[in-house]
Structure formats: structure tokens, C-alpha cells
Amino acid sequence: MGGWIAYIPLVITLILTLVSHFTLRTAERFDAEGVEAVGTVLGRDIRISRDSDGDETRSYFVKVGFTPDGGAPLTVEQNTDAATHDRSAIGTPITLWYLASEPNMIELSRGENRSASAVTQGIALVFGVVFLVALWVPARRAIAALRARRYGARERAVVTEHARTHITVNSRRLYRLAWRDEHGRDGQSLPYRRDMLRAFPEGSRITVYQGLTKAWWEGDTGPRDPRS
């Protein structure tokens, strides 16, 4: 029924909150033991990843070499922002900060961990609000459907068409199963890929449950527990 969608922003909120916490702890470590040094830019890289919809995400990296106080020379590749990447010409000196107790942890911009923590906290807050909204929309719909399955009248209906929607997932059009019940009332299912509705051609009979404001297809809600 899509009620599980409400928990996606909650999971993201929890993950971002944890990331923000650890980033803030790192920022506090740099405040306590950060040491300034001058290194040399050894390389730059842009890595592109694509999701299932083909959208691109660019990650920027800068490789620097430096020698911490009293230690051996180090080479560290740091994930950074586009501006720092673009101004870091290979072979040029660059100011950085490293942890005295863990020199391979560096900042290329002073306070970047604290800034990242604040940004992550802000995004987590947004997803927290989205979670509350999601509880009200898909979760409310899921509850209404489950109530209809358990308490509503179980009726038969005739499929009238596979109604085309404006929704696409991975460039594939989704359709709704449309029906007319025994009392002449029309209804529609949740959106599905068309191949998932082939078992229910026009004219076939399906089971629906009458809710308070609309009917729900058994294929959306699942069959009623015979013990209820």
C-alpha cells in the first residue's frame, strides 16, 4: 500500500543525524589538535556515478603530499568541494590542517568538518519534516486500505480498463486497474507496470473492499484474513 514509504525519510533522518554527529566530533578534534601545514597538490580527480534513472553525481578529490611535524611524508586523497578542486592546480602549494594524533585526517579548508556537520543537520531537519508529512499522506492511505480490507464489505467488480497514468518509473509508464462494482460505482487501483496487470484483462472479475470514502482492490491490500 505504500505505507512503508513514510519510513524512508525517517531512515534518512537517522543516518544524516549520525553522520552529522560524527562529523561534529571530527570538527571538535580539529579545534583541539589541528596543526597547520603546507603541502603540495599531487593530483585531482572527478568521479561520476549514475543512479538507476541516469542522473549523474560528481565527486571531487584532491591528492596532496605533506610532511607532519616529526613524521614521515604522507600522501592523502581528500574528498572536497568543486571550488577547492578547481583552484588546486597540480604542483602548487596548498595550506592544510591535520590531526596531530592522526595525520592522515586533513582539512583543506579550515572548519570544513564543522560546516559539513551544520549542513547535514539542516538536511536531516528537512527530512524529519518530510517524515511527519509522509506519516500523514501514504501512511494514512495505508491505514484506510487496511481498515477496508478488515471491516469493509467484500464485493465483486468488473475490470473496465487499464488506465494510463502520468507516472513513470525508470522511463516505464504506470497504469491503474479501473473497475465498476456491482452497484455501478467506479474505482481504480494503485499504479503498476502494465505487465503486472495482464492477469486482469478488461471484463475479468476482481474482489474489492468498500472503505469509508472509496473501494480498494484486493491486489492492493492483500486478501482478507479468513479468521477476521
Side-chain angles (χ1 to χ4, degrees), residues 48-116:
I48 301 175
S49 60
R50 291 180 174 83
D51 60 21
S52 58
D53 293 326
D55 297 327
E56 289 187 354
T57 299
R58 290 175 174 249
S59 299
Y60 300 87
F61 295 85
V62 174
K63 183 181 294 185
V64 298
F66 70 100
T67 302
D69 290 343
L74 287 176
T75 298
V76 179
E77 186 176 57
Q78 181 81 346
N79 186 199
T80 188
D81 57 82
T84 301
H85 172 273
D86 292 343
R87 68 170 177 262
S88 301
I90 295 176
T92 61
I94 185 172
T95 300
L96 58 88
W97 291 261
Y98 66 89
L99 293 179
S101 61
E102 200 171 350
N104 61 331
M105 291 190 64
I106 67 172
E107 287 187 339
L108 296 181
S109 299
R110 191 70 176 104
E112 65 182 39
N113 280 285
R114 188 172 296 280
S115 298

Side-chain angles (χ1 to χ4, degrees), residues 1-225:
M1 282 307 306
W4 59 271
I5 294 175
Y7 294 97
I8 294 178
L10 174 61
V11 172
I12 295 175
T13 298
L14 294 175
I15 292 173
L16 291 176
T17 300
L18 287 174
V19 171
S20 175
H21 171 73
F22 288 116
T23 307
L24 181 60
R25 291 289 299 274
T26 301
E28 292 172 346
R29 291 182 63 189
F30 271 98
D31 289 342
E33 56 172 302
V35 179
E36 184 175 346
V38 176
T40 303
V41 177
L42 303 179
R44 303 187 306 174
D45 191 21
I46 301 176
R47 298 169 190 172
I48 301 175
S49 60
R50 291 180 174 83
D51 60 21
S52 58
D53 293 326
D55 297 327
E56 289 187 354
T57 299
R58 290 175 174 249
S59 299
Y60 300 87
F61 295 85
V62 174
K63 183 181 294 185
V64 298
F66 70 100
T67 302
D69 290 343
L74 287 176
T75 298
V76 179
E77 186 176 57
Q78 181 81 346
N79 186 199
T80 188
D81 57 82
T84 301
H85 172 273
D86 292 343
R87 68 170 177 262
S88 301
I90 295 176
T92 61
I94 185 172
T95 300
L96 58 88
W97 291 261
Y98 66 89
L99 293 179
S101 61
E102 200 171 350
N104 61 331
M105 291 190 64
I106 67 172
E107 287 187 339
L108 296 181
S109 299
R110 191 70 176 104
E112 65 182 39
N113 280 285
R114 188 172 296 280
S115 298
S117 177
V119 171
T120 306
Q121 285 179 354
I123 298 174
L125 177 61
V126 171
F127 274 99
V129 174
V130 172
F131 166 64
L132 295 178
V133 174
L135 280 179
W136 178 250
V137 182
R140 182 183 62 168
R141 180 180 62 180
I143 292 171
L146 295 178
R147 285 176 61 87
R149 181 181 72 182
R150 183 166 185 178
Y151 304 111
R154 186 176 186 271
E155 300 178 353
R156 300 291 285 173
V158 177
V159 175
T160 55
E161 68 170 322
H162 295 171
R164 179 186 176 95
T165 73
H166 297 293
I167 305 170
T168 59
V169 176
N170 294 333
S171 302
R172 300 183 67 176
R173 183 71 56 183
L174 299 186
Y175 293 78
R176 297 181 188 271
L177 195 68
W179 69 81
R180 180 166 294 132
D181 66 20
E182 298 167 337
H183 304 284
R185 294 170 298 198
D186 295 326
Q188 289 190 338
S189 72
L190 296 176
Y192 294 90
R193 297 195 314 270
R194 194 163 198 176
D195 61 285
M196 298 176 68
L197 301 177
R198 287 175 182 165
F200 309 96
E202 293 182 19
S204 62
R205 298 181 66 81
I206 59 174
T207 298
V208 298
Y209 300 106
Q210 293 294 339
L212 294 176
T213 59
K214 61 173 290 185
W216 299 87
W217 176 39
E218 188 177 55
D220 290 333
T221 67
R224 174 178 291 172
D225 187 338

